[in-house]
Amino acid sequence: MVLLCSVEEDKIVFLTTVRTLNIILDDYYLGLTDIKEYIPSFINNILGNIFNLEESDFVISSINCLSVIVDIYKENIRIYVENIVTTVSKIWADAGEEYILRSSILNLLGKLLKALRNDSYLLHTHLVPILIFCCDRNNPSSVYLIEDAIELILILVSNSDRFTPEVRTILDILPSLLRTQMDESFQLVLHIYSAMFLLAPQVSLSLSFDTKYDLSFCHQLRSMLDNIKADQASAIFSCLNSAIDASLGCGLSKLVLHSFADTGILDVIIREIYNSTELGTILCHYYYLFFKIIVADPELYYNSIKKYSQNNSIGFDELNFILLLHIIRKEDILYLPEHRLMLLYFLLEILNIYNPVLYQSTIIESSDFCIAKESINLAE
């Protein structure tokens, strides 16, 4: 087969060999040890022949075969990366409106990113301009390529261990991607934000939570919370929790938490807990974020509750008591250990801030509170 896909062979013979090779590698689950000695020849022959192919179907078959080889060869593919990327970049530039061809190239580049892992920065210079092109809604081809590009951006950021200038440019296009609200893609964009917060917390948090801009991250999420779906709730609150965790580690917690208040996200959280009409799965997310905010910044919580009570003609103590009562009575929806632990910290913070006599009789209804508090006392 190595000889049959050589440069000297006929194009039809080459194509048939490539397609057969693709089936053998993909369907028969051959391991690296089975074909390792042949992989360099396969790669060189495919790259050597690919520019001789005029039909896009032939080129797509060749690229798909390379994708399967990369899957098998994994990190060993590094020595061929420059040659592969240079080749597919030229094919991309000449692809025009061949969207299936371009989609196959994006798939190959995603395989390369995963294979290179921490060395994936080697692809950033070539790859990021392609991704920005795919995500530009002024470009007609974005309709066909944007979903693949968003998936690829997530792979790129998740596999990066350094914040390159190219990755920095991705931050600039994320708000426009978030505005599209395309179900799965919408959730992928939020996962990209979470990955950015971990990769470069200072830069990504500063840009995403700057409330001076109407299209800031928090402004966009706030506009979505009024008609939130259960699957979207998980992605949104997971991202907000990631932002809080990252901000605590880099000294930007004030910026992040105060943006929750400035954009109205904290008001929505208070409102939903006060009404307690949402599904348990969604309400659980509100509870957990609520606990994190009060534990991280008790003063912000106090001021927000005071403002909310004034704006809605509810007594300050009455509002606090009702929020606490709803949380305690529905604590069973907090089934994850980290949620139960954060509930405990929240209850302890309530006792520190407010009149213990007013709240203690309600707090001790919590099944975890007395046992957990006693355990903490013993540990101390």
Side-chain angles (χ1 to χ4, degrees):
M1 290 189 72
V2 171
L3 294 176
L4 290 174
C5 68
S6 65
V7 178
E8 290 79 13
E9 286 296 334
D10 181 86
K11 285 193 293 185
I12 300 300
V13 175
F14 169 77
L15 176 64
T16 304
T17 305
V18 166
R19 287 178 172 172
T20 304
L21 177 62
N22 202 345
I23 293 171
I24 292 173
L25 296 180
D26 202 18
D27 292 355
Y28 290 90
Y29 306 106
L30 294 180
L32 179 59
T33 54
D34 299 312
I35 62 166
K36 185 175 182 179
E37 62 180 295
Y38 307 110
I39 284 182
S41 298
F42 283 136
I43 293 174
N44 290 329
N45 287 342
I46 291 173
L47 293 178
N49 255 315
I50 203 164
F51 287 116
N52 298 325
L53 306 175
E54 297 175 0
E55 296 82 355
S56 63
D57 287 349
F58 293 4
V59 180
I60 291 170
S61 295
S62 301
I63 290 174
N64 289 342
C65 188
L66 283 174
S67 295
V68 176
I69 291 174
V70 172
D71 248 352
I72 296 173
Y73 215 33
K74 299 189 184 302
E75 66 275 2
N76 299 298
I77 201 70
R78 177 170 178 169
I79 58 175
Y80 303 100
V81 165
E82 184 176 354
N83 196 5
I84 293 174
V85 172
T86 301
T87 300
V88 297
S89 294
K90 292 177 181 177
I91 295 171
W92 177 276
D94 297 332
E97 296 183 358
E98 297 284 352
Y99 301 125
I100 297 177
L101 171 57
R102 286 191 159 174
S103 182
S104 68
I105 292 174
L106 292 177
N107 179 58
L108 171 59
L109 293 172
K111 302 283 188 185
L112 287 171
L113 283 173
K114 291 179 180 178
L116 290 174
R117 298 180 65 82
N118 291 341
D119 290 331
S120 61
Y121 69 90
L122 297 170
L123 299 180
H124 290 181
T125 303
H126 295 281
L127 181 54
V128 171
I130 290 176
L131 296 176
I132 292 176
F133 170 83
C134 294
C135 295
D136 182 2
R137 291 207 161 271
N138 294 320
N139 169 20
S141 62
S142 68
V143 175
Y144 306 97
L145 301 173
I146 190 168
E147 291 191 25
D148 290 338
I150 289 173
E151 290 184 22
L152 195 49
I153 289 173
L154 179 58
I155 295 172
L156 183 149
V157 178
S158 300
N159 284 277
S160 296
D161 66 348
R162 61 189 71 186
F163 192 62
T164 62
E166 292 79 20
V167 175
R168 166 62 183 80
T169 61
I170 291 176
L171 269 174
D172 295 329
I173 67 171
L174 287 184
S176 64
L177 297 181
L178 195 60
R179 281 205 308 279
T180 60
Q181 300 183 43
M182 298 179 297
D183 296 333
E184 287 187 21
S185 294
F186 161 78
Q187 296 178 47
L188 288 176
V189 174
L190 290 178
H191 292 319
I192 294 169
Y193 268 107
S194 295
M196 283 287 194
F197 297 153
L198 293 175
L199 178 63
Q202 286 279 355
V203 177
S204 58
L205 290 173
S206 297
L207 289 174
S208 302
F209 288 87
D210 190 341
T211 56
K212 291 183 295 185
Y213 303 105
D214 289 338
L215 294 179
S216 73
F217 177 68
C218 275
H219 277 296
Q220 292 190 68
L221 291 190
R222 168 61 189 90
S223 66
M224 299 172 188
L225 288 177
D226 289 328
N227 298 297
I228 196 171
K229 299 176 183 177
D231 57 339
Q232 293 177 337
S234 178
I236 289 174
F237 287 106
S238 174
C239 188
L240 292 175
N241 281 316
S242 297
I244 293 176
D245 293 340
S247 70
L248 292 171
C250 70
L252 290 178
S253 59
K254 288 287 184 184
L255 171 69
V256 172
L257 294 175
H258 280 263
S259 70
F260 288 0
D262 295 340
T263 56
I265 287 179
L266 189 49
D267 283 346
V268 174
I269 295 171
I270 295 170
R271 182 194 72 199
E272 294 304 324
I273 295 175
Y274 181 80
N275 294 331
S276 286
T277 56
E278 280 286 7
L279 295 171
T281 51
I282 297 179
L283 202 55
C284 177
H285 293 300
Y286 280 117
Y287 283 178
Y288 187 53
L289 196 58
F290 188 61
F291 301 158
K292 273 196 165 183
I293 292 171
I294 187 175
V295 171
D297 195 338
E299 183 181 355
L300 174 65
Y301 167 82
Y302 179 91
N303 292 333
S304 297
I305 291 290
K306 186 175 180 180
K307 179 181 176 182
Y308 189 91
S309 66
Q310 292 171 348
N311 291 341
N312 293 274
S313 301
I314 307 171
F316 179 78
D317 283 333
E318 178 188 357
L319 176 58
N320 271 292
F321 186 80
I322 292 174
L323 293 176
L324 183 58
L325 193 63
H326 285 169
I327 290 170
I328 296 300
R329 288 180 176 175
K330 293 193 175 185
E331 65 171 320
D332 287 344
I333 67 174
L334 301 167
Y335 59 90
L336 294 176
E338 59 266 30
H339 291 178
R340 307 293 292 188
L341 181 61
M342 194 56 67
L343 169 63
L344 169 64
Y345 288 140
F346 165 75
L347 296 175
L348 290 172
E349 198 62 53
I350 287 288
L351 287 177
N352 289 334
I353 296 175
Y354 301 112
N355 184 354
V357 176
L358 180 62
Y359 297 104
Q360 193 165 22
S361 60
T362 303
I363 287 177
I364 61 176
E365 290 181 23
S366 172
S367 59
D368 286 349
F369 183 71
C370 293
I371 298 174
K373 190 171 188 303
E374 182 179 349
S375 300
I376 289 178
N377 290 337
L378 289 174
E380 290 175 347

